[in-house]
Amino acid sequence: MICTWELFLRCISSETLAHRARMIEKGHKELESTLPAVSWQGYILDKERADQKMEVRPNGLFVLDIITIDEEVPELWSRIAPRREELGIMVAHKTYTGGLRLVAKYRPGLKSLAANKRRLAAELSVDYELKSCSSFASVSFLVPQEYFYHIDRSLFDPAVETPDKQHKRGSERTMTKANEKIPQTSTIIRTLDAVHDSLEADTEQRKSK
């Protein structure tokens, strides 16, 4: 399901999502699997048959998880923020582990996730999680609205040009046709609508107690 701005905003502003986030920060890591998840780096096509292999199409975005400590995240973002447009940063938020996650656009001439991550990390002079979001199908569990430092609304436009016209296989396989337009983000594990309904039902249940 395509992640629209309306669905995205409904989820990150959910009272129950905020409650579960506080529980996760207290050590209840198992609750992460109950959260909505967005595939920032690729669009995941719906399967037409149960036996069909999952197809992932890159969307021109990549995720960089910067290694830092919770207390330093605001200061780090204040240093990065003035260069946001120059660096193509579309999303920035604090993570559940206290780091800083950036979602940024591919750089001209760089076609792999790894190359784009290395370039941005070098330009920012930061260390980053090498294994985090290592494939186009990797997903990010959403965080509450107050965790976000920046969200570019244009990220939720219906389509963008794919950056790579080649066909590849492996963790960074590309399954696109030349000049094909695709949605930028999608949700997997469960749809945002389904998660939102679940979160709101949970909220009502807690209020009734």
Side-chain angles (χ1 to χ4, degrees), residues 45-62:
L45 282 71
D46 293 330
K47 293 183 180 181
E48 296 180 0
R49 305 185 312 275
D51 62 345
Q52 185 177 350
K53 291 184 178 181
M54 182 177 68
E55 289 191 33
V56 183
R57 298 182 177 180
N59 57 12
L61 303 171
F62 68 96

Side-chain angles (χ1 to χ4, degrees), residues 141-152:
F141 293 115
L142 290 182
V143 296
Q145 192 166 8
E146 59 266 27
Y147 281 45
F148 285 86
Y149 294 103
H150 172 68
I151 307 172
D152 191 322

Side-chain angles (χ1 to χ4, degrees), residues 16-129:
T16 304
L17 178 59
H19 170 72
R20 293 185 184 182
R22 290 192 290 270
M23 296 298 291
I24 291 170
E25 286 192 336
K26 291 179 180 178
H28 296 275
K29 302 298 183 183
E30 72 280 1
L31 291 178
E32 282 190 340
S33 62
T34 71
L35 303 179
V38 175
S39 55
W40 289 123
Q41 301 178 141
Y43 177 61
I44 300 172
L45 282 71
D46 293 330
K47 293 183 180 181
E48 296 180 0
R49 305 185 312 275
D51 62 345
Q52 185 177 350
K53 291 184 178 181
M54 182 177 68
E55 289 191 33
V56 183
R57 298 182 177 180
N59 57 12
L61 303 171
F62 68 96
V63 172
L64 184 74
D65 281 336
I66 299 175
I67 301 173
T68 184
I69 58 175
D70 189 54
E71 293 78 8
E72 295 178 352
V73 171
E75 181 180 348
L76 176 60
W77 172 244
S78 66
R79 178 167 64 84
I80 297 172
R83 302 180 61 193
R84 176 175 53 80
E85 292 188 12
E86 168 201 344
L87 299 172
I89 296 172
M90 307 295 283
V91 173
H93 69 74
K94 184 181 76 169
T95 66
Y96 289 118
T97 56
L100 179 65
R101 169 163 290 183
L102 303 178
V103 180
K105 295 178 182 179
Y106 270 46
R107 296 305 179 82
L110 299 181
K111 296 183 177 181
S112 73
L113 292 173
N116 278 281
K117 290 171 186 281
R118 284 195 300 270
R119 172 71 64 82
L120 183 55
E123 291 178 331
L124 296 175
S125 300
V126 295
D127 294 324
Y128 66 101
E129 298 284 355

